[in-house]
DNA sequence: TTGAAAGCGCTAACAC
DNA sequence: GTGTTAGCGCTTTCAA
């Protein structure tokens, strides 16, 4: 038994397709009595409208395409949760795609999503290759680039400056008296934002006549286990570090666990610094420094921009929402 | 400037709409030369097909609707990553919705997703209220219920038995000589699977003439911080426990951190047991017991069932994929 | 307040 | 190999 169509509901209610459509959408003038009959018929038949037809016909959809690089780190799910929550009640529906930090895959996912004629698209970062940018531009819908502020946005931009975050962390650590730095990171060729943080951090070190005494990099994606492993190796080679900067909090937490296992006092002997401000960090058995990035708030801000842009159906004036990471975990 | 349609591409290539359609899809017989012209024209015009029209016309979509309760815990994103990866290369596209553990919201999300005419739908758990079940049934597409095996599936079922998981953990802990148990959990009214684990765990205790000496419950969602707080409170009230069972690994990890802060030896004095087998658990500074649930594999299995069901376009014989959680972290 | 006609962009089915 | 016709299920536009 096929699903009932609007026409069948209309027949059941003894009206025309058009009247049924209006009644169900609650638009225009439909007599109370007619509307009642239609709604009742629809309920009786368990009518579920066909959005494909609706959107094709009306030339607009309620779809917001969202492309994130990963789901293996809690960061992006939190952003998605923010987007989803921010869209709640607007009638808009987020559709997520995962690019696995792969630019080619990202492009294909974007292409695929655009074929659904979304009313807006949210992508991660500002570093899409030109071809992808063209693809996005041609879609002629609001484009939100999320998470990063270091670069030239195509349209809307929500995020924070990872360069500033890295530089600020370095400044604070140097000011706190640390002088022998190590760096532990992973997948820097793919996680460009972590790369920006590292580069900026290093610049500040150089400005102070310092440098990374040792660094450990790995191609695998960040994880607590990897942070632990690399830190253990690093401390075996260079035991006299007094601070290690990590590509993110997952890695840093692993670093802390490595130090605990080795009996290295954190933060007295070695200060550990990460990025993100994960919930985990608040409960760790020793304090580690981090830059708190408001992930959920970023998602919500992106959702807000989408709602405005879609509602206004015109260029809204606010193009950028800048967040500032807050550094915690150093000093008292 | 509007987006080009198939017709415009066809005109540009000097062929009919239909020929252009065939050429672009690579179906049927189109002369090499014609196909080349069409593809080139499409590329030149940056043609992106309209899936709304495609799906409406062909009466089939490549959408797989997925509804999960939360994104705030890494568990569900990992499942989603598994689904997404499992669907890769099939031409199918997952669409995610978040219900926030709210049955009413879940129903509305499902309703909304069904209006997009997905070719399959994956939902979390087996405990949807009757109204939601009706909604799903009426869609007349493969329905996959994921994560849980304790109940009667509507159609396909992938997951593990949380009752068995809870019972198995209790048996192992009792066998390991533990006797004074505490329980720390959260949001049990919403996270029904955690509730099933707890109930089964408790049954085994009773069978051994034991019971939870103390329990701490909270309405908030699980988190490391909450686990830490509740554990600290519990140990203040009942210091002589020798084992605490948690609703999941996040809570258990918080419990471990609480013990470390209080100087309670884990696992010598108190054994800590959670559920999920999060990556985090592998790197913690002290061993905690957990039941490892293969989250990504479950997502991949669900994706496999969807592919089979969609490809076969008929009832496939395998209706259930059962996973067994593996208990780790007890003894060597 | 309601309905009829046209068409959104595409494909299925059948001609040629 | 290629084109034509007829929709998919809905909304828009216009008429009544």
């Amino acid at each position: 038994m096929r699903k009932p169509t609007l026409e069948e509901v209309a027949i059941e209610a003894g009206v025309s397709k058009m009247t049924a459509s209006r009644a169900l959408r609650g638009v225009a003038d439909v007599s109370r009595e007619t509307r009642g009959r239609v709604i009742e018929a629809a309920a009786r038949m368990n009518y579920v409208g066909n959005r494909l037809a609706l959107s094709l016909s009306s030339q607009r959809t309620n779809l917001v395409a969202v492309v994130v690089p990963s789901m293996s780190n809690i960061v992006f799910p939190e952003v998605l949760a923010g987007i989803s929550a921010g869209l709640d009640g607007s009638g808009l529906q987020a559709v997520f795609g995962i690019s696995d930090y792969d630019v080619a895959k990202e492009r294909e996912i974007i292409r695929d999503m655009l074929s659904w004629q979304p009313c807006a698209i949210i992508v991660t970062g500002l570093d899409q290759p030109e071809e992808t940018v063209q693809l996005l531009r041609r879609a002629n819908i609001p484009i939100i680039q999320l998470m990063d502020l270091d670069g030239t946005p195509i349209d809307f931009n929500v995020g924070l400056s990872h360069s500033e975050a890295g530089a600020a962390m370095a400044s604070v650590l140097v000011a706190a008296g640390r002088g022998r730095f190590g760096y532990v990171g992973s997948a820097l060729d793919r996680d460009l934002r972590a790369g920006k943080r590292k580069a900026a951090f290093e610049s500040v070190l150089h400005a102070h006549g310092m440098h990374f005494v040792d660094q450990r990099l790995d191609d695998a994606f960040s994880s607590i286990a990897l942070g632990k492993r690399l830190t253990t190796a690093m401390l075996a080679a260079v035991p006299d570090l007094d601070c290690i900067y990590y590509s993110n909090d997952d890695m840093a937490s692993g670093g802390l666990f490595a130090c605990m296992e080795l009996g290295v006092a954190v933060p007295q002997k070695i200060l550990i610094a990460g990025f993100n401000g994960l919930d985990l960090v608040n409960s760790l058995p020793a304090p580690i420094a981090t830059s708190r990035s408001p992930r959920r708030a970023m998602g919500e801000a992106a959702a807000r921009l989408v709602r405005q842009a879609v509602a206004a159906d015109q260029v809204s004036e606010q193009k950028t929402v800048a967040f500032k990471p807050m550094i915690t975990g150093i000093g008292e």
Side-chain angles (χ1 to χ4, degrees), chain A:
Chain A
M1 197 200 71
R2 260 185 48 275
K3 288 194 277 201
T5 67
L6 180 62
E7 177 140 45
E8 288 159 345
V9 173
I11 292 172
E12 174 81 6
V15 297
S16 75
K17 231 168 47 168
M18 209 43 241
T19 302
S21 167
R22 286 195 271 252
L24 256 17
R25 280 179 298 159
V27 300
D29 331 79
V30 178
S31 74
R32 281 193 61 69
E33 199 254 340
T34 306
R35 155 171 300 134
R37 274 215 319 284
V38 173
I39 289 178
E40 200 202 308
R44 198 166 48 241
M45 304 171 75
N46 290 317
Y47 172 70
V48 177
N50 184 330
R51 264 239 152 65
L52 298 171
L54 188 164
S55 294
L56 179 61
S57 172
S58 65
Q59 299 285 74
R60 44 200 176 68
T61 67
N62 66 340
L63 251 29
V64 177
V66 183
V67 183
V68 295
S70 159
M71 283 289 209
S72 309
N73 183 301
I74 191 66
V75 167
F76 294 105
E78 285 178 352
V79 172
L80 294 182
I83 293 173
S84 182
L87 252 26
D88 256 9
S90 67
L92 297 173
Q93 165 74 45
V95 186
F96 309 134
I98 308 170
S99 72
D100 285 326
Y101 281 106
D102 181 325
V103 292
K105 192 165 178 186
E106 179 185 47
R107 188 186 59 237
E108 290 319 306
I109 288 177
I110 289 175
R111 188 190 300 285
D112 199 77
M113 294 210 150
L114 290 180
S115 73
W116 285 101
Q117 321 290 113
C119 62
I121 182 163
I122 301 175
V123 298
T124 306
L126 289 161
D127 303 288
Q128 288 77 20
E130 185 56 25
E131 195 184 341
T132 303
V133 171
Q134 292 306 332
L135 196 60
L136 289 168
R137 275 238 167 72
R138 273 163 4 216
N140 212 26
I141 53 176
I143 301 160
I144 319 252
Q145 287 169 296
L146 198 58
M147 306 302 280
D148 194 0
L149 246 37
D150 302 317
T152 309
I154 301 173
D155 190 5
F156 294 97
N157 195 192
V158 176
L160 56 83
S161 166
H162 290 263
S163 295
E164 281 182 26
M169 180 61 87
S171 300
V172 169
L173 293 174
V174 170
R178 303 290 160 159
R180 286 189 61 77
F181 290 91
Y183 179 83
V184 173
S186 74
L188 292 187
D189 53 327
R190 319 187 87 180
D191 183 351
L192 302 178
R193 288 169 292 284
K196 291 175 180 179
R197 294 192 294 272
K198 181 191 184 223
F201 190 104
E202 224 163 354
S203 289
V204 171
L205 288 192
H206 293 164
H208 285 274
M210 301 172 176
H211 64 280
F212 284 129
V213 177
D214 190 17
Q215 38 182 304
R216 303 283 157 158
L217 304 174
D218 198 286
D219 286 338
F221 286 119
S222 67
S223 70
I224 296 177
L226 180 58
K228 185 172 181 179
R229 185 158 62 72
L230 295 182
T231 302
T232 302
M234 178 179 259
L235 290 179
V238 191
D240 65 336
L241 298 174
D242 62 15
C243 185
I244 306 178
Y245 188 45
Y246 291 82
S247 50
N248 64 29
D249 281 350
D250 296 85
M251 299 291 283
S253 300
L256 168 63
F257 295 149
C259 289
M260 292 176 67
E261 212 164 88
L262 296 169
V264 174
V266 175
Q268 294 78 11
K269 169 89 178 69
I270 291 188
L271 200 157
I272 283 178
F275 177 86
N276 266 334
L278 297 187
D279 282 348
L280 166 64
V281 170
N282 297 321
S283 305
L284 252 17
I288 73 178
T290 188
S291 311
R292 296 185 181 273
S293 76
R295 302 173 291 286
R296 190 180 171 94
M298 285 187 203
E300 289 171 343
R304 205 174 315 120
L305 286 183
V306 167
R307 294 174 73 148
Q308 285 169 6
V310 170
D313 206 21
Q314 59 180 32
V315 187
S316 66
E317 73 288 2
Q318 194 195 10
K319 286 290 192 180
T320 298
V321 180
F323 287 87
K324 282 252 171 274
M326 190 178 60
I327 294 179
T328 61
I330 299 175
E332 72 278 46

